Amino acid sequence: MTQIYVPGSGPIGAKLMIVGIAPSGEEEKRGEAFVGPSGHILNQDLKDANYSLAQCYKTNIFKYKLPDNEFKKYKEMGLSLEDSMSDLRNEINAVNPNCILGLGDPVLYSLMGKSGKSNGINVWRGSILSFQGKKTVFTWHPAAELHGKGEGQFRSWQKYVRKFDIKRAVE
């Protein structure tokens, strides 16, 4: 099976950079991050914060679709987290955003080294942290709403908290 590279996209100099885990099948087909079902939810959340996905630089840690969309399977594809993070750091330097919005527990782990029940996304979401000297806010990935994955099941109230976190990152 051919691996399809999905680069980051959006305006250089964007105030908000959005970082996901890896492209989905729809994103792989279209060659752009956040154009699938998760992207539609994200776009609505941004609209609710009086912002637009088109104003954001959108990227993923891994630029290739992962098997079963599972973060832990990147090694099966011969990918390196260290190399992917080096590429992401270069993207951050080129875009120079005011704030980074990290989506999901694997992004929190990759950028901040935080993980686990007492140190994961449920603990740190909404906090303003710093990665490469940039304000960084993490929240649940919109895919959690679609698939109910993650620690426990996604609950309806979580979408309102995610919207709050996204608004915080926009501000």
Side-chain angles (χ1 to χ4, degrees):
M1 184 175 193
T2 305
Q3 295 179 355
I4 299 172
Y5 184 86
V6 179
S9 64
I12 298 298
K15 291 182 180 182
L16 183 62
M17 175 184 248
I18 300 171
V19 179
I21 301 158
S24 69
E26 181 66 24
E27 293 160 344
E28 185 182 56
K29 285 179 201 165
R30 295 181 51 192
E32 187 177 348
F34 300 107
V35 294
S38 293
H40 294 300
I41 292 172
L42 179 61
N43 194 32
Q44 186 58 55
D45 289 350
L46 285 162
K47 281 182 183 177
D48 292 346
N50 297 314
Y51 214 68
S52 163
L53 194 55
Q55 294 173 269
C56 304
Y57 187 89
K58 307 161 295 289
T59 193
N60 288 294
I61 292 170
F62 295 108
K63 307 301 193 245
Y64 299 95
K65 183 179 179 301
L66 299 176
D68 304 319
N69 288 327
E70 291 287 331
F71 175 74
K72 294 177 183 176
K73 294 187 175 184
Y74 68 87
K75 291 179 186 174
E76 291 177 18
M77 296 183 60
L79 298 174
S80 159
L81 181 58
E82 289 175 3
D83 290 347
S84 296
M85 287 303 299
S86 176
D87 291 345
L88 180 63
R89 285 183 183 91
N90 290 336
E91 274 184 288
I92 292 167
N93 288 336
V95 174
N96 194 27
N98 182 53
C99 184
I100 298 167
L101 174 63
L103 301 176
D105 213 29
V107 178
L108 174 67
Y109 168 74
S110 299
L111 273 64
M112 307 304 298
K114 298 180 182 307
S115 66
K117 189 171 185 166
S118 62
N119 201 29
I121 196 75
N122 290 337
V123 174
W124 290 102
R125 57 120 303 268
S127 299
I128 299 174
L129 303 174
S130 178
F131 180 74
Q132 277 195 220
K134 304 292 177 191
K135 289 178 275 189
T136 308
V137 176
F138 295 89
T139 195
W140 296 295
H141 197 293
E145 183 175 343
L146 295 169
H147 308 296
K149 290 184 178 175
E151 201 172 294
Q153 291 289 62
F154 186 85
R155 292 173 177 73
S156 59
W157 58 263
Q158 286 179 283
K159 69 181 172 186
Y160 301 105
V161 176
R162 184 189 64 233
K163 286 176 183 287
F164 172 83
D165 295 342
I166 290 172
K167 185 174 187 201
R168 185 170 210 187
V170 165
E171 290 173 350

